Amino acid sequence: MRTVIVVGASLAGLYAARELRAQGFDGRLVVIGAEPHRPYDRPPLSKGFLDGTVDEGQLLLTDEEETTELAAEWMLGTRVRSLDARGRTVVLDDGRTVAGDGVVIATGASARRLPGPPLTGVHTLRTLDDARGLRAELARGPRRVVVIGGGFIGAETASSCVALGHDVTIVEAAPLPLVGPLGPEMASVCARLHARGGARLLTGVGVAGLRGTPTAGARGSVTAVELSDGRLLPADVVVVGIGATPHTGWLAGSPLAVDDGVLCDDGCVTALPQVVAVGDVARAGGVRAEHWTSATEQPRTAVRNLLAGHTIETVRPLPYFWSDQYGSRIQFAGRRGDGDTVRIVEGSPGGLDGSGGLDGSEGLGRPVGLGGPEGGGHGAGFLAVYERAGRTTAVLAVDRARPFMKLRRGLAADRAAELAGV
């Protein structure tokens, strides 16, 4: 290959560029990014960047030295319009074309939005520009903040808003936040963090719409969130954290199959062997995983297959995610099944109890840490394992990082042995 085009300049795209050079590709490397910013880390946007403890410089994933070593052509602030039928030419929004021998699709995903007219005070949190806007608004003084969605982004944003002194309510349509990955028992335990931290959590109720005050000649401002049961939550700021949609619209008309992401095999190879997909946009082996680890692990295998011209290696990493909320770290690894049992093997979830409860109860006081990510402090937090037929399938920890990592390594070794047929 003489020219490889990486479409997407975020985490997965950067790792793909790194892998291309590390695996010996010395040809022309073009990296196209829709955002004008150099590659940056997204997880801190809802945490340290939002509460002001992390600045923009600390978000950057590359420095000048690495940028020089990669010897790539960076086309930032540039959107792509389409991919040609052979999968070798990318058409940009302004009509220009970039031709290559191979393409890495790393276009990521965009935050889902609520239907209805735009209102001032309503935010999503996916990009640096999103975080800049929300941070500026939160700095204007105490606000009534309603966070719609109790997943990772919603929970972390709520935590940051509480730490900044705002009045925070989280609305979650499911019976519990994170009930999908964690299961009802452990999701209920982790939900106590909100009460302990000082936020209200409303579960099992959806959002019917937003209320706003019209402003002559300008966009109206949000004033309340209307719930599906008719209740109104007064709001000065609304953060919508209801998931993300993969950026695949530009692939319409191409030979690539798209279904909640770009369909590819276990080696991240699409229907065209000269096109691979990685990160949030990739549906590899039937699974699309919006996790930092997927964006950093997939590129190695994808690039190896791209340079080989066919799938010579597959990747089925052990799922892993973490979330920092109210001074505590939640970590999860593995694949929980509906029939799995769960048991506490270290610590106790009792330390997560707050003075309030679920379904609208209000936790009192300021955010209280549970001992920090290493499980120190007051000894709070716990470690739990999920089991099926005598085998460990997943592990969950709150503020038990060291023992968690040991169990995670064991799970990964078991997974590797399983795939190898041992």
Side-chain angles (χ1 to χ4, degrees):
M1 288 188 174
R2 292 177 296 180
T3 300
V4 174
I5 307 165
V6 178
V7 186
S10 192
L11 183 67
L14 172 63
Y15 269 70
R18 286 172 173 170
E19 283 297 331
L20 281 159
R21 294 308 191 204
Q23 294 186 32
F25 176 71
D26 60 1
R28 182 188 181 205
L29 175 57
V30 182
V31 183
I32 305 171
E35 294 185 61
H37 315 294
R38 291 165 55 191
Y40 61 88
D41 205 16
R42 295 185 191 275
L45 294 181
S46 57
K47 296 174 279 194
F49 181 78
L50 202 59
D51 66 23
T53 58
V54 173
D55 61 34
E56 290 191 18
Q58 293 171 286
L59 297 176
L60 293 178
L61 293 169
T62 61
D63 55 26
E64 293 297 334
E65 182 179 357
E66 182 184 27
T67 301
T68 300
E69 291 176 350
L70 284 176
E73 299 174 30
W74 295 86
M75 303 178 68
L76 301 179
T78 303
R79 294 187 177 275
V80 294
R81 179 193 300 173
S82 61
L83 180 70
D84 80 327
R86 297 183 306 130
R88 297 185 185 275
T89 299
V90 172
V91 182
L92 308 180
D93 257 0
D94 60 9
R96 289 180 295 161
T97 61
V98 182
D101 307 297
V103 175
V104 179
I105 298 174
T107 43
S110 58
R112 290 194 177 98
R113 300 177 183 274
L114 292 175
L119 294 170
T120 298
V122 179
H123 299 263
T124 56
L125 188 52
R126 179 81 185 183
T127 69
L128 175 56
D129 290 338
D130 291 340
R132 284 173 172 172
L134 179 56
R135 187 164 99 163
E137 186 154 3
L138 295 174
R140 293 169 54 192
R143 292 287 186 273
R144 295 169 299 179
V145 179
V146 175
V147 178
I148 301 174
F152 304 121
I153 294 296
E156 291 171 0
T157 301
S159 173
S160 296
C161 289
V162 169
L164 290 168
H166 300 290
D167 179 84
V168 180
T169 300
I170 304 143
V171 180
E172 171 56 55
L176 289 165
L178 305 179
V179 69
L182 302 186
E185 186 175 354
M186 289 296 100
S188 177
V189 169
C190 290
R192 301 176 196 169
L193 284 168
H194 294 293
R196 183 181 177 110
R200 290 177 294 274
L201 174 62
L202 307 181
T203 61
V205 62
V207 172
L210 303 179
R211 298 284 184 89
T213 300
T215 303
R219 177 186 296 185
S221 298
V222 69
T223 58
V225 174
E226 181 181 359
L227 302 182
S228 56
D229 60 9
R231 283 180 291 173
L232 284 179
L233 301 178
D236 306 303
V237 175
V238 173
V239 181
V240 181
I242 54 175
T245 303
H247 278 303
T248 57
W250 65 285
L251 295 170
S254 78
L256 303 187
V258 173
D259 181 13
D260 185 36
V262 179
L263 299 186
C264 37
D265 65 16
D266 286 343
C268 299
V269 178
T270 71
L272 298 173
Q274 71 274 16
V275 180
V276 297
V278 293
D280 291 357
V281 75
R283 191 170 184 82
V287 177
R288 188 173 72 85
E290 294 180 16
H291 298 314
W292 192 91
T293 47
S294 297
T296 57
E297 292 177 355
Q298 288 176 344
R300 178 174 299 174
T301 297
V303 165
R304 187 161 295 160
N305 294 333
L306 177 68
L307 296 179
H310 62 282
T311 302
I312 61 173
E313 182 177 311
T314 61
V315 56
R316 292 299 296 271
L318 185 76
Y320 167 66
F321 64 78
W322 78 93
S323 180
D324 296 319
Q325 303 174 22
Y326 308 102
S328 288
R329 172 160 289 188
I330 300 172
Q331 293 172 285
F332 182 89
R335 292 181 171 86
R336 182 195 69 86
D338 288 339
D340 293 357
T341 59
V342 60
R343 62 187 178 92
I344 306 296
V345 296
E346 181 178 312
S348 169
L352 274 65
D353 286 325
S355 54
L358 304 178
D359 299 322
S361 299
E362 181 175 2
L364 303 177
R366 305 297 300 161
V368 179
L370 300 181
E374 298 303 330
H378 301 293
F382 66 92
L383 182 71
V385 294
Y386 297 79
E387 297 169 319
R388 184 189 317 138
R391 296 185 63 184
T392 299
T393 58
V395 57
L396 167 70
V398 175
D399 294 337
R400 284 292 186 273
R402 290 192 183 97
F404 170 86
M405 293 307 295
K406 181 178 180 180
L407 288 179
R408 180 192 173 193
R409 287 192 294 269
L411 278 174
D414 291 344
R415 175 64 172 163
E418 177 186 343
L419 293 176
V422 176

